Amino acid sequence: MIVRKKYNGTPFFQPSDMMAELISRQYSLLQVVSRFGMTLGVGEKSVSEVCQLNGVDTNTFLAVINYVGNGCSPEFIPEPDAISLPSLLKYLRESHTYFLEYSLPSIRRKLIGTINYSSSNEFSFLILKYYDSFCEEVRAHLDYENKIVFPHVDALLSHRATDFTIDAFDTEHDETADGKLNELKNIIIRYYSSPSESNYALNDVLSDIFICNEELDAHGLVEENLFLPAVKLLEAHASEIDDFLIDNRTEDADASLLSSREKDIVVCVVKGLTNKEIADKLNISFNTVLTHRRNIAHKLEIHSPAGLTIYAIVNGLVKLEELE
Ligand SMILES: [Fe+2]
Ligand SMILES: [Fe+2]
């Protein structure tokens, strides 16, 4: 269950809270709301009503809102079974689109518009180059999740097997490009002296870089502390189901597997021999024939000679022409 404690002065939202109030109280959550596919114009609707209208699991929405809204504090990490992975996947995929198609290109456009780029201005040129290489790293990271990690979870949710396990993601995930954006911020703050007329524009792009850095950090933490544990739980359930199916398949296979002596008996039965004749032919006692026949009937769940005939032909124990 989600932590229900309300911390002193710390926003902690509940399903019955008004969505409009949530956004007004903490405007930084607006982007989180949008990434769940929700738009403004929420009227007087509660959080759970807006979630329902948008096909989003309310617990998952609030888990992300309360975690991100409280600075990704460990106290706000929900239990893995409180997370609906389809809803969280929707949010993470949309977050990737937001970074790749909106946030990062917007910062680049602002950098170009703010800093004087020309062949004579090597410093500005290097800043843009540095930013582009950061974007490439972020793109590679998000592409890996879009193409490998998320489809793996889709497959698990539809009970399909994959070769991937989430442990691979777990070990590689902290190697993100966040440090580069931090460095870029520091380089601009410490070493770029802008002409005074472009101060406001430079501050604007710098603010965007700060926000983007925080958003990428929060995104990574949501993946590590909400997404990853929920996927591990799903994998554990999937492997329990697999084990169950394998056990049952093994039992079925054993059941259909007749010993060579039992196969001999089946052949005799379908050829019309009596139990006494079978005992004589195979040099075994009459009672042994009866025991074998009981076992065969139990394993195959076939009790009549006609049924055994079909079984024997289908499994190549006899040919149709051998039968009268
Ligand atoms: Fe991601
Ligand atoms: Fe990630």
Side-chain angles (χ1 to χ4, degrees):
M1 293 301 293
I2 298 173
V3 183
R4 289 281 171 213
K5 254 193 283 179
K6 212 163 192 168
Y7 289 78
N8 282 348
T10 317
F12 184 78
F13 299 101
Q14 315 269 359
S16 55
D17 288 341
M18 295 290 110
M19 184 63 96
E21 193 197 334
L22 180 151
I23 296 168
S24 305
R25 263 166 65 185
Q26 220 174 338
Y27 72 89
S28 60
L29 294 175
L30 187 53
Q31 292 291 14
V32 177
V33 172
S34 296
R35 288 185 222 145
F36 272 102
M38 299 167 180
T39 51
L40 295 180
V42 291
E44 302 303 311
K45 292 187 189 71
S46 68
V47 166
S48 62
E49 285 170 334
V50 177
C51 284
Q52 230 166 15
L53 279 172
N54 287 280
V56 172
D57 175 67
T58 307
N59 277 347
T60 306
F61 173 78
L62 284 172
V64 175
I65 284 284
N66 286 318
Y67 180 62
V68 174
N70 287 290
C72 300
S73 159
E75 287 161 299
F76 289 87
I77 297 174
E79 292 298 327
D81 61 358
I83 296 293
S84 151
L85 275 167
S87 288
L88 190 58
L89 271 177
K90 178 180 182 173
Y91 167 79
L92 293 175
R93 283 192 162 112
E94 193 49 41
S95 300
H96 288 188
T97 305
Y98 163 79
F99 288 123
L100 293 176
E101 292 178 18
Y102 177 75
S103 175
L104 296 175
S106 158
I107 290 174
R108 191 176 197 276
R109 277 194 303 274
K110 285 187 181 180
L111 273 174
I112 290 174
T114 310
I115 298 179
N116 171 29
Y117 288 105
S118 64
S119 50
S120 60
N121 193 337
E122 250 181 25
F123 182 75
S124 302
F125 176 76
L126 287 174
I127 285 183
L128 191 63
K129 216 174 144 194
Y130 194 94
Y131 180 74
D132 285 346
S133 76
F134 156 75
C135 289
E136 270 320 298
E137 282 182 38
V138 174
R139 182 175 291 280
H141 180 105
L142 303 189
D143 273 355
Y144 164 74
E145 288 168 356
N146 284 343
K147 290 177 184 161
I148 308 283
V149 183
F150 297 166
H152 165 68
V153 181
D154 288 334
L156 286 176
L157 288 168
S158 350
H159 310 292
R160 282 182 283 116
T162 79
D163 293 333
F164 184 81
T165 66
I166 204 69
D167 284 340
F169 171 77
D170 193 4
T171 46
E172 286 174 26
H173 192 244
D174 45 358
E175 294 163 19
T176 58
D178 293 358
K180 244 185 177 154
L181 202 55
N182 247 329
E183 220 166 73
L184 182 65
K185 249 166 31 190
N186 287 331
I187 291 170
I188 296 175
I189 293 168
R190 286 164 200 255
Y191 306 110
Y192 186 76
S193 50
S194 59
S196 60
E197 67 271 14
S198 62
N199 257 348
Y200 294 132
L202 185 66
N203 293 348
D204 182 40
V205 69
L206 205 50
S207 302
D208 283 0
I209 293 175
F210 271 102
I211 291 169
C212 181
N213 201 13
E214 281 170 13
E215 287 181 329
L216 279 170
D217 278 349
H219 176 78
L221 288 167
V222 167
E223 286 179 336
E224 279 165 30
N225 295 318
L226 276 67
F227 174 70
L228 190 64
V231 177
K232 283 187 173 174
L233 187 68
L234 181 65
E235 279 186 349
H237 283 162
S239 87
E240 273 171 26
I241 290 169
D242 279 353
D243 289 349
F244 176 78
L245 291 175
I246 287 166
D247 287 350
N248 283 284
R249 267 201 299 273
T250 311
E251 252 177 43
D252 288 344
D254 288 342
S256 64
L257 199 66
L258 298 185
S259 68
S260 58
R261 178 55 89 198
E262 286 166 341
K263 283 177 188 168
D264 293 340
I265 303 238
V266 169
V267 170
C268 292
V269 171
V270 301
K271 285 185 175 173
L273 273 67
T274 64
N275 288 335
K276 173 82 176 64
E277 288 168 332
I278 296 170
D280 291 342
K281 185 174 185 209
L282 300 178
N283 279 328
I284 53 177
S285 75
F286 182 83
N287 282 335
T288 307
V289 174
L290 293 181
T291 306
H292 280 310
R293 288 199 66 171
R294 265 199 306 275
N295 290 342
I296 291 165
H298 174 71
K299 284 186 179 179
L300 303 183
E301 291 186 0
I302 298 173
H303 299 273
S304 68
L308 280 182
T309 304
I310 295 168
Y311 172 85
I313 291 171
V314 168
N315 288 281
L317 301 183
V318 288
K319 290 202 168 65
L320 193 57
E321 54 269 29
E322 292 176 65
L323 305 177
E324 290 179 23

